[in-house]
Amino acid sequence: MTKTTNNKGDKMITKVYPNIYKQEIPLPRNPLRILNSYIILGESRNLIIDTGFNMKECKEAFMDNIEELNIDLTKTDLLITHLHSDHSGLAAEVSKKGAGLYAGKIDGPMMLAMTKDEYWKRFEGYTRIFDLEKDNLLFHDHPGYKYCPKEALEFNLLKEGDLLEVGDYAFEVIDIPGHTPGHIGLYERNHRLFFGGDHILDRITPNISFWGFEYNILETYLNSLKKVYEYDIDYLFTAHRNILRDHKRRIDELLQHHGKRLDEIRSIIKNKRMSVRDTAANMHWELRYDSWDDFPNPQKWFASSEAMSHLEYLFLAGEAERSEEEGILYYKL
Ligand SMILES: [Zn+2]
């Protein structure tokens, strides 16, 4: 592997496969620390996968790397694997410099909606439903709101089976919903490469949050894990932390993790009806805070939303009852 350093001496670009580079975009003040964005050099057009936040530090790193690799953005397409702002943040910026934009047919339109305040207003409703008014949370505290693109985006929308050819590679679009409603991945069958965004990460458990009552999002996610399990993959290019060589091992661990999570929640709501926030506050989180009150606001959002996706899974499976009082939801086994 060849590494290039920036002027601060950090390793930013790594060649991970012929004509495929990983660029590390710093995510300041975020526990994810770094986004792995991938650059695939082609003969006529290049492809870049994901961007980092709409934030000065991310933009500088991204543009430095583009310069370092001598990339002409007018001969480049940018694909956003899913709507989270650490992946989509610079989409408007990069497209203004002449790049084509690609996204999945579900997350693409959602990203457009997220550029407007109206979309985020529904999070105000969630603070009540989740019982987070107790913690005085506002939708302005949501990191998705802070660092998402704020300008209109024109995406070419992709669906399962669409092909993107870059140099010798033919990437097939694969639907892997769950982490977001329309997360997509790219599979290169001949070389057994998979670009999986946040679907499967090493050492981190991808956040499975609540996206509205129309989804059984945890079930959807578990099915997408089982789907990718069947693929023949040599390199799973992840969007955070290590590139994976043994995706089946990691998928087994993730399936087990959610099984344990469901058990934990079953025991929390066994004898007493609990709100989403109180369920989350009673769950074990791998964070260095002594109590729920010490959680920073964004982590309260993530934790409650993660609890909600599991509570709804139990409700939809007929295992838990759901009731409502003064706009707050309660679940009991
Ligand atoms: Zn994500």
Side-chain angles (χ1 to χ4, degrees):
M1 289 191 190
T2 328
K3 288 200 173 183
T4 313
T5 52
N6 69 356
N7 50 20
K8 292 178 210 104
D10 307 322
K11 292 179 184 69
M12 305 284 285
I13 309 173
T14 313
K15 187 173 183 180
V16 292
Y17 209 79
N19 290 322
I20 303 181
Y21 294 82
K22 178 183 80 168
Q23 59 162 335
E24 296 188 358
I25 306 290
L27 303 174
R29 299 173 293 286
N30 187 289
L32 291 169
R33 303 202 305 257
I34 283 168
L35 173 92
N36 301 329
S37 155
Y38 294 93
I39 301 171
I40 301 124
L41 301 181
E43 278 134 39
S44 53
R45 288 188 80 74
N46 313 302
L47 179 68
I48 301 180
I49 302 174
D50 295 336
T51 71
F53 286 126
N54 185 10
M55 193 193 257
K56 185 172 156 277
E57 291 90 332
C58 298
K59 188 180 157 185
E60 279 174 9
F62 190 97
M63 291 307 170
D64 280 357
N65 297 338
I66 294 305
E67 205 181 36
E68 179 80 41
L69 289 173
N70 262 319
I71 289 174
D72 179 351
L73 285 177
T74 65
K75 292 179 181 154
T76 300
D77 294 309
L78 173 65
L79 178 137
I80 307 297
T81 56
H82 66 288
L83 55 76
H84 282 147
S85 53
D86 54 327
H87 298 256
S88 65
L90 298 171
E93 202 67 44
V94 177
S95 120
K96 269 195 272 179
K97 295 189 187 296
L101 277 187
Y102 287 87
K105 65 182 191 317
I106 296 171
D107 276 23
M110 284 177 83
M111 276 184 264
L112 289 186
M114 289 169 121
T115 61
K116 307 206 172 65
D117 272 7
E118 291 90 86
Y119 174 89
W120 295 96
K121 287 277 153 65
R122 76 171 176 160
F123 279 82
E124 265 170 358
Y126 289 171
T127 46
R128 165 58 67 93
I129 292 174
F130 287 4
D131 193 23
L132 280 168
E133 285 183 355
K134 258 202 291 225
D135 298 315
N136 299 314
L137 252 65
L138 297 168
F139 82 94
H140 288 106
D141 297 323
H142 201 286
Y145 172 75
K146 279 198 205 159
Y147 303 122
C148 71
K150 301 283 190 282
E151 295 158 85
L153 302 163
E154 274 186 47
F155 284 114
N156 299 293
L157 298 180
L158 297 167
K159 59 179 190 316
E160 169 118 348
D162 283 351
L163 269 190
L164 296 175
E165 292 186 42
V166 188
D168 290 337
Y169 300 113
F171 297 107
E172 210 175 310
V173 175
I174 310 288
D175 284 336
I176 41 174
H179 176 64
T180 61
H183 195 314
I184 57 169
L186 291 181
Y187 184 50
E188 218 289 339
R189 216 166 270 279
N190 294 324
H191 298 85
R192 298 181 298 279
L193 311 177
F194 196 93
F195 292 86
D198 283 355
H199 182 46
I200 299 158
L201 300 174
D202 196 20
R203 309 177 77 89
I204 306 175
T205 313
N207 179 246
I208 305 304
S209 34
F210 177 68
W211 292 95
F213 294 100
E214 62 270 47
Y215 302 102
N216 185 347
I217 203 72
L218 178 59
E219 183 175 77
T220 302
Y221 177 66
L222 299 177
N223 287 337
S224 293
L225 285 179
K226 291 170 196 160
K227 177 179 181 178
V228 176
Y229 193 93
E230 301 304 326
Y231 282 76
D232 195 5
I233 298 171
D234 265 357
Y235 284 88
L236 195 155
F237 294 116
T238 56
H240 305 283
R241 305 294 197 274
N242 302 327
I243 292 167
L244 279 163
R245 301 296 308 272
D246 48 356
H247 71 295
K248 294 194 179 193
R249 182 226 10 124
R250 188 59 188 145
I251 290 173
D252 283 335
E253 287 173 1
L254 291 170
L255 290 169
Q256 271 173 26
H257 165 86
H258 289 288
K260 280 193 204 142
R261 267 292 195 232
L262 287 167
D263 280 344
E264 183 183 23
I265 292 174
R266 282 185 188 103
S267 72
I268 293 170
I269 62 168
K270 197 170 160 190
N271 300 314
K272 193 171 165 250
R273 62 169 209 173
M274 299 286 262
S275 71
V276 179
R277 180 251 186 221
D278 289 349
T279 305
N282 278 286
M283 288 163 72
H284 171 261
W285 301 98
E286 304 237 322
L287 296 167
R288 286 187 206 111
Y289 304 107
D290 293 334
S291 73
W292 178 259
D293 293 329
D294 296 335
F295 274 39
N297 283 345
Q299 299 306 324
K300 285 183 181 172
W301 270 117
F302 289 138
S304 299
S305 198
E306 174 103 16
M308 181 71 172
S309 68
H310 289 70
L311 288 165
E312 274 293 297
Y313 177 93
L314 293 175
F315 169 70
L316 292 167
E319 280 192 61
E321 8 176 283
R322 182 175 76 194
S323 55
E324 190 222 297
E325 202 176 299
E326 292 178 13
I328 300 168
L329 290 180
Y330 295 89
Y331 293 81
K332 186 172 180 296
L333 210 62

